[in-house]
Amino acid sequence: MNAEIVKPLTDWYRANRRDLPWRHTSDPYRIWVSEIMLQQTRVESVKAYYQRFLEALPDLSALAEADEERLLKLWEGLGYYSRVRNMQRAARTVVEDFKGAFPRTKEEMEKLPGIGSYTAGAVASIAFGERVPAVDGNVLRVWARMTADDRNILLPSVKKEAERDIAGLMQTLPAARTSGQDHPGAFHENAAGDFNQALIELGALLCLPGEKPLCEACPVRPFCGAERRGLAGVLPIREKKTERRIERRTVLLVRSGELTAVRKRPDSGLLAGMYEFPNVRGELTAEQAVAYTSENGYDALRIRPLPAARHLFSHVEWRMTGYEIRIGALSGERGRSAHGRDWIFADAKELSGERPLPAAFSAYAKLIHVFPGKGKSREEEQEERNGR
Ligand code: ADE
């Protein structure tokens, strides 16, 4: 990419940047939290989660010590839960191995769990002013257009080349003077951090994906190869190799009075450690669903079909059918089945407040007035409005 873009792009960024909560700090912890959240989630949605997360866990040691369910609850609705588990592992490593001092270079950061080249580059440049690139999908789009590169940007080799190219260009920037302090004006000017954020901002505000980027307003239009060749709406090329695997599942809302059965998922794999409604692979008939329930120790009184639902994960699509199964009063201790199996019966309040349910189950959860990701059930919000 042409080094002449640095000044107009950075000037444009400094004049036009959005006022975002993570742009008021140079605390690496806070910047790291924002970058992890922003990886799969839109800026507008991240804002509220970000504030709440940092109020609950204001520093690395709070994150390192946080109870797992609290952590998952704070993340509920953001999805891709391995992100927050890795953050905790990384925080523990920093606390235990680095005496709580966040690593100051991209190279060191990349050794931590869940911190890849993009995140390390973003935190190292924004918090410490290190002249290293932070190339995510949006920056890759900007780069492919600026350089009119028509190779598949989903190939790791193309991303590496973009990183090399941007790293080279960043060596023309002035080095940082002060860094890593959480007070306003810690930097006079953070050339590297601002340049990376300028690329991000250009991708978010003007160099939009799809056919109609806003080239008229672009501060680096004269340097754009795609624009010159009439390819701005065509590039970048993204060719996906793998399709999502389709998995059919049957989800059961097994209900006793106001209580509904959930169970904890295994500690590894998809949605590790979260709660879920009992569910099985395949499309069960009503008879099979009743049989499955009785194998788990509960006799169905009534069963009714629920609407179909689907949920997209990165590699799998769940196509779900559902049944509501009514069972009788529970014997034994409330909340635990009398048979000692792994189903736990909880009401809407407990499911909303204490047992993180993934958004994959939203279509069924809402039938019992639980809204994953909203933190509180409608009833609780209603109660708060009523002043109870
Ligand atoms: N997306 C990824 N990183 C970002 C940042 N620092 N600001 C705004 N959007 C982003």
Side-chain angles (χ1 to χ4, degrees):
M1 216 154 42
N2 190 333
E4 286 183 66
I5 70 168
V6 169
K7 186 167 170 20
L9 183 60
T10 307
D11 288 348
W12 170 82
Y13 171 69
R14 288 179 178 154
N16 295 284
R17 63 183 137 200
R18 289 167 293 175
D19 182 12
L20 301 173
W22 46 91
R23 290 186 175 162
H24 293 273
T25 180
S26 54
D27 174 359
Y29 171 70
R30 290 172 174 255
I31 291 166
W32 174 46
V33 170
S34 75
E35 291 298 343
I36 297 290
M37 288 186 170
L38 286 161
Q39 270 169 29
Q40 319 276 354
T41 312
R42 302 175 65 84
V43 166
E44 281 313 310
S45 323
V46 165
K47 283 183 183 169
Y49 283 100
Y50 177 77
Q51 306 284 24
R52 188 182 67 162
F53 191 92
L54 290 175
E55 274 162 31
L57 305 172
D59 53 36
L60 268 173
S61 56
L63 171 57
E65 288 160 18
D67 165 88
E68 188 189 30
E69 293 199 0
R70 179 152 178 251
L71 203 59
L72 292 174
K73 200 73 207 167
L74 283 165
W75 208 262
E76 193 185 275
L78 280 168
Y80 301 93
Y81 293 87
S82 59
R83 289 185 288 170
V84 69
R85 293 172 179 285
N86 280 333
M87 280 182 72
Q88 186 171 54
R89 286 172 54 213
R92 287 179 176 163
T93 306
V94 174
V95 169
E96 286 159 22
D97 299 351
F98 305 128
K99 297 190 188 137
F102 208 96
R104 300 177 69 90
T105 63
K106 178 176 184 198
E107 197 182 341
E108 289 298 312
M109 288 178 205
E110 277 186 79
K111 294 178 187 161
L112 293 171
I115 304 195
S117 173
Y118 166 76
T119 309
V123 179
S125 63
I126 300 170
F128 298 110
E130 193 186 1
R131 292 173 293 177
V132 286
V135 177
D136 67 355
N138 292 319
V139 171
L140 208 44
R141 175 173 69 252
V142 172
W143 177 84
R145 284 179 176 158
M146 294 301 293
T147 58
D149 196 309
D150 63 1
R151 285 172 298 169
N152 180 6
I153 60 163
L154 300 181
L155 292 173
S157 57
V158 175
K159 178 173 169 180
K160 288 213 176 75
E161 186 169 325
E163 289 181 324
R164 263 197 309 276
D165 184 30
I166 296 172
L169 183 158
M170 291 180 78
Q171 299 319 302
T172 67
L173 300 172
R177 274 178 259 169
T178 54
S179 57
Q181 304 299 309
D182 192 13
H183 60 80
F187 289 103
H188 271 307
E189 274 183 349
N190 177 359
D194 282 359
F195 178 69
N196 279 334
Q197 293 198 81
L199 287 171
I200 290 169
E201 203 74 342
L202 190 69
L205 299 183
L206 301 177
C207 200
L208 304 176
E211 291 169 24
K212 293 201 164 55
L214 307 176
C215 300
E216 303 74 39
C218 179
V220 290
R221 189 179 192 181
F223 309 102
C224 182
E227 165 78 348
R228 239 185 338 269
R229 297 180 205 179
L231 294 175
V234 176
L235 295 178
I237 305 297
R238 293 168 52 95
E239 278 159 4
K240 281 224 172 69
K241 189 167 71 214
T242 50
E243 294 285 305
R244 272 195 192 88
R245 180 168 57 81
I246 291 175
E247 198 174 294
R248 290 179 198 281
R249 304 198 76 88
T250 303
V251 177
L252 305 180
L253 286 186
V254 179
R255 311 200 62 197
S256 171
E258 288 305 302
L259 305 178
T260 305
V262 290
R263 65 185 178 198
K264 199 165 172 30
R265 288 182 64 89
D267 282 335
S268 61
L270 188 70
L271 306 173
M274 301 198 64
Y275 288 86
E276 64 178 2
F277 301 121
N279 65 90
V280 283
R281 279 289 268 279
E283 203 173 328
L284 267 51
T285 61
E287 289 73 28
Q288 289 168 324
V290 166
Y292 179 76
T293 307
S294 91
E295 272 167 35
N296 279 279
Y298 303 96
D299 291 327
L301 300 177
R302 285 194 306 281
I303 179 165
R304 73 177 175 102
L306 299 173
R310 55 172 66 189
H311 185 79
L312 303 180
F313 297 96
S314 49
H315 301 300
V316 197
E317 173 182 341
W318 277 4
R319 296 215 178 136
M320 296 169 275
T321 39
Y323 293 99
E324 181 187 66
I325 294 176
R326 281 275 164 197
I327 60 170
L330 294 166
S331 50
E333 169 196 352
R334 182 196 170 273
R336 284 266 166 206
S337 95
H339 305 265
R341 307 297 283 256
D342 59 355
W343 293 9
I344 294 163
F345 284 80
D347 61 15
K349 190 155 182 253
E350 182 177 346
L351 288 174
S352 301
E354 293 159 45
R355 305 212 182 258
L357 269 182
F361 295 99
S362 292
Y364 297 107
K366 75 178 184 201
L367 302 175
I368 55 165
H369 309 289
V370 173
F371 303 89
K374 296 269 191 319
K376 294 189 176 94
S377 70
R378 290 259 165 92
E379 281 90 336
E380 283 175 293
E381 284 173 358
Q382 193 67 45
E383 277 179 12
E384 277 177 12
R385 272 199 295 281
N386 294 344
R388 266 184 272 167

